[in-house]
Amino acid sequence: MLVESVSVAALIVVLVCAVIRPFRWPEAVFAVPCAVLVAVCGATPFDHVRQEAERLGPVIGFLAAVLVLAKLCDDEGLFHACGTWMARWAHRRPRRLLGVVFALASVITAALSLDATVVLLTPVVFATAARMGARPKPHVYASAHLSNTASLLLPVSNLTNLLAFTASGLTFSRHGRTVVGVGVIGVLPSRGSSSGWPRGGTGGRSRLRAAPARRG
């Protein structure tokens, strides 16, 4: 009974800390000690812990490498360039900007994971829409929503895909052929719902104004 109680308590602590982020500390600060505590209490044998670490280690390492790649792309100005490109392509037409956001969010989610879309692209979408004088809300909604639906397309798109890809034993091409239909089914309705945003919802002058560019 003690072992089960410790396990449940550790799970609750990890979930609560992941949501409220006390002291702005990363989740690992709480998750790792809880995991060690559960193992020490005997809830999970150390041999099982070692086997799972060996099985999941390459997957977690690959995901970490993709996130680092996305951060390097951000440091090199990729997402800022995406914002500039979106503004030029839209020509101050909010609905056209919505279509560009849809395409770009789908590509970035599939190639660099949903985290890159949520954390790095969505703020750029917000700033671009506000600078154009459009309401940011529908464009930000499209970007955030596509970070979920477009993440079905490739194994690298999210952690769940990586885990399923590893467990399935499929090759990359076979996995792609298996899930591409599901991915398309998930993405196309998102495009339809974005296109059907209430009339006037994407346009109009935004109350938010981008800060004027500094000269010099």
Side-chain angles (χ1 to χ4, degrees):
M1 185 64 181
L2 176 61
V3 172
E4 290 80 0
S5 299
V6 171
S7 301
V8 172
L11 176 61
I12 293 174
V13 169
V14 171
L15 292 177
V16 170
C17 292
V19 173
I20 66 175
R21 296 290 295 274
F23 310 110
R24 297 185 180 274
W25 290 350
E27 294 86 345
V29 173
F30 307 97
V32 172
C34 287
V36 172
L37 177 62
V38 170
V40 170
C41 289
T44 302
F46 279 102
D47 288 340
H48 188 201
V49 173
R50 179 180 56 80
Q51 292 173 3
E52 288 298 312
E54 291 176 352
R55 184 175 69 88
L56 297 178
V59 176
I60 302 301
F62 182 77
L63 178 63
V66 172
L67 295 178
V68 170
L69 176 61
K71 181 61 170 63
L72 292 175
C73 289
D74 183 46
D75 291 342
E76 292 299 320
L78 173 64
F79 293 94
H80 181 271
C82 287
T84 302
W85 176 76
M86 286 189 293
R88 290 177 179 175
W89 181 263
H91 295 298
R92 294 189 175 277
R93 294 167 59 185
R95 287 193 176 275
R96 190 168 184 176
L97 175 63
L98 195 62
V100 176
V101 170
F102 173 86
L104 198 58
S106 299
V107 172
I108 290 179
T109 298
L112 293 177
S113 83
L114 60 86
D115 300 277
T117 300
V118 172
V119 177
L120 301 176
L121 178 65
T122 300
V124 173
V125 170
F126 183 95
T128 301
R131 188 165 55 247
M132 286 177 53
R135 290 184 60 217
K137 185 176 180 179
H139 305 86
V140 171
Y141 169 83
S143 180
H145 194 65
L146 263 298
S147 69
N148 281 315
T149 54
S151 67
L152 297 171
L153 296 174
L154 294 176
V156 69
S157 301
N158 66 45
L159 178 58
T160 304
N161 287 8
L162 286 174
L163 294 174
F165 176 68
T166 303
S168 67
L170 298 175
T171 63
F172 184 86
S173 58
R174 178 66 183 278
H175 181 274
R177 292 195 301 270
T178 301
V179 303
V180 65
V182 179
V184 171
I185 291 173
V187 167
L188 290 182
S190 301
R191 181 67 179 98
S193 64
S194 297
S195 299
W197 197 272
R199 186 174 182 82
T202 58
R205 300 300 300 176
S206 171
R207 294 182 181 179
L208 297 174
R209 296 292 186 268
R214 295 182 178 178
R215 296 185 178 182

